Amino acid sequence: MALIQPAQPEAHEPGGGRRGRKAVRYAVPVAVVGVTAATIGLVPALADSGDPSLPSLTAEQIITKIAASDTQTVDGTVKISTDLGLPSVLSGGSGSSLFGGAVAPPTTGSRDGSRADPQRQFTQLLLGSHTLHVAVDGQDRQKVSIIESAAEYSVIHNGSQVWAYDSASNEVYHSTAPADAGKDRAQHPRQAPSDAFPATPQAAAQQVLKAAQGTATITPDGTARVAGRSAYELLIRPQHASATTVDSIRIAVDSKTGVPLKFSLQPKGKGKAAIDIGYTKVSFDKPSASTFSFTPPKGAKVTEGRDTAREQKSPEGMSGLGEPTFIGSGWDTVAVFKAKGALPAAPEKNAKGGAASLLGGFGKQVSGSFGSGTLFHTRLVNVLLTQDGTVYAGAVDQSALTAAANGAAR
């Protein structure tokens, strides 16, 4: 389980051909929805004052700079927050739900109830503002720590060992990677399960730039200073997409290393960015070896998990949902998930008590050729849960989502 992928050289290939069109069709919704669902959003004021003077580069040259970056070590602080337009009762304020707050989001994927399970903790980064400390030393050593005023949560990947520790509950979650995981990652660095967890600007930028080829206009848009470093800015705007909720994406790229330092996604309509990830401090020096060492504290409850290859393989591990199919193309694509077994029924609007009450008030009851269901709306991603357990999701407006469901039912 590599939490963060170091930059790897990759040829810049524009989308094209049957394989390219298929990849784009799949990549756009997964990149946008995945980035949102895994964590995101940063306070926009991360960029330092004063735009640096740098030699002019084309968008192609900046993208090539990212792809050619051979930076394998990072040690820095990342600021993360979200503005998805969720009800305040769900967000509960900065960090309050992350470490034992009264209101916490559903803990899907927490099979054994361990509060240290990464699938439980990282989904909660969707709510409020958070500070992360990130350390990377190549493919086999990474550490991400979520730092709050009263507690800390860390996931450490060191070789075949993956440890997660929640200091608030004094619980530990442990799993192992297959013996040949390092060899597989070296041969297929882009296929590591960590690609689904964009905790850094690099990870988010890699996902979206890959998806944007042939589906968006990518232009240079000045310079910026981020975490004390000079950076080029790329502006990405969806092309030939009428239903997408995405207005634009901005990526700040370090002028020396080619490492993305900041990622910001602006949805359509007024307001600040819905997604922003950026460094406030960053060094590309090698972290000390002790950074990746972990021994469970005395008295900690240790839960043994299944190996990460089985836990994180594809979208099938997501709450009983099967592999997605897709309706539409490009940024207007809707992902469709069929339940593998029964999903909880869509909550009624007047449901009483707990999460059902919160979700019932948040969702909107809708009906059509697909039957009836509940539509959950954010500034970026909309989700429709139908009565038969089918899930439609995408960075598209609500009418596009219900139209996709109606079309599938005919």
Side-chain angles (χ1 to χ4, degrees):
M1 172 184 168
L3 293 173
I4 304 167
Q5 283 292 77
Q8 293 291 326
E10 181 177 286
H12 171 49
E13 298 180 3
R18 179 177 300 175
R19 183 176 180 182
R21 287 194 298 272
K22 182 178 180 181
V24 165
R25 179 173 176 157
Y26 182 93
V28 170
V30 170
V32 176
V33 176
V35 163
T36 306
T39 72
I40 352 193
L42 155 78
V43 182
L46 283 181
D48 300 340
S49 60
D51 295 340
S53 178
L54 295 171
S56 296
L57 293 181
T58 65
E60 184 75 23
Q61 288 172 320
I62 298 172
I63 293 172
T64 299
K65 194 176 195 59
I66 296 172
S69 176
D70 60 357
T71 300
Q72 296 289 307
T73 57
V74 178
D75 192 349
T77 301
V78 176
K79 293 291 291 185
I80 294 186
S81 66
T82 53
D83 185 11
L84 298 178
L86 294 169
S88 59
V89 68
L90 287 179
S91 61
S94 174
S96 64
S97 65
L98 187 60
F99 297 107
V103 178
T107 56
T108 57
S110 191
R111 298 159 300 282
D112 46 33
S114 172
R115 289 193 58 187
D117 186 339
Q119 292 190 37
R120 170 175 181 164
Q121 291 286 352
F122 284 127
T123 55
Q124 297 186 42
L125 288 174
L126 282 169
L127 306 176
S129 297
H130 306 281
T131 300
L132 277 64
H133 181 259
V134 175
V136 179
D137 182 11
Q139 296 284 341
D140 294 321
R141 285 174 292 279
Q142 300 95 27
K143 179 178 179 179
V144 176
S145 297
I146 307 169
I147 303 169
E148 300 290 344
S149 58
E152 179 176 328
Y153 175 78
S154 295
V155 178
I156 304 101
H157 167 228
N158 193 346
S160 64
Q161 301 300 303
V162 179
W163 295 93
Y165 176 60
D166 175 36
S167 68
S169 61
N170 199 28
E171 291 192 30
V172 174
Y173 188 86
H174 174 246
S175 61
T176 57
D180 59 351
K183 178 181 178 181
D184 289 344
R185 282 195 300 273
Q187 294 175 349
H188 307 289
R190 297 292 179 181
Q191 298 177 12
S194 61
D195 291 342
F197 174 57
T200 63
Q202 300 104 294
Q206 286 168 2
Q207 288 190 13
V208 169
L209 282 172
K210 183 176 181 180
Q213 300 302 324
T215 68
T217 59
I218 307 176
T219 56
D221 195 42
T223 63
R225 199 173 298 279
V226 180
R229 300 183 67 90
S230 298
Y232 290 98
E233 290 202 311
L234 281 175
L235 184 64
I236 302 171
R237 290 190 181 277
Q239 202 173 25
H240 312 304
S242 58
T244 184
T245 55
V246 177
D247 177 75
S248 62
I249 295 171
R250 186 179 297 273
I251 300 172
V253 181
D254 186 67
S255 61
K256 292 185 178 180
T257 65
V259 172
L261 299 175
K262 187 182 178 196
F263 174 98
S264 179
L265 189 153
Q266 184 69 44
K268 291 179 178 176
K270 298 180 180 179
K272 62 183 181 180
I275 293 176
D276 245 343
I277 311 175
Y279 285 102
T280 55
K281 297 179 181 179
V282 65
S283 167
F284 299 110
D285 294 336
K286 184 176 180 176
S288 65
S290 62
T291 302
F292 309 104
S293 298
F294 179 80
T295 301
K298 184 177 181 180
K301 175 186 174 182
V302 179
T303 300
E304 292 292 333
R306 296 173 295 181
D307 72 65
T308 56
R310 291 199 302 269
E311 285 182 350
Q312 295 189 336
K313 187 177 181 180
S314 191
E316 293 185 14
M318 298 171 57
S319 309
L321 299 180
E323 288 254 11
T325 57
F326 299 95
I327 299 173
S329 61
W331 297 82
D332 288 345
T333 301
V334 173
V336 184
F337 296 89
K338 293 285 187 180
K340 296 178 67 179
L343 278 178
E348 297 294 333
K349 188 170 184 63
N350 296 321
K352 295 181 179 181
S357 177
L358 289 174
L359 291 175
F362 172 42
K364 178 173 71 174
Q365 300 301 303
V366 294
S367 61
S369 301
F370 59 86
S372 62
T374 304
L375 185 65
F376 301 99
H377 168 70
T378 75
R379 296 177 64 213
L380 183 61
V381 175
N382 288 303
V383 178
L384 172 61
L385 172 60
T386 65
Q387 197 170 32
D388 67 358
T390 304
V391 178
Y392 298 84
V396 297
D397 58 37
Q398 299 176 56
S399 60
L401 206 61
T402 53
N406 283 331
R410 295 191 183 104

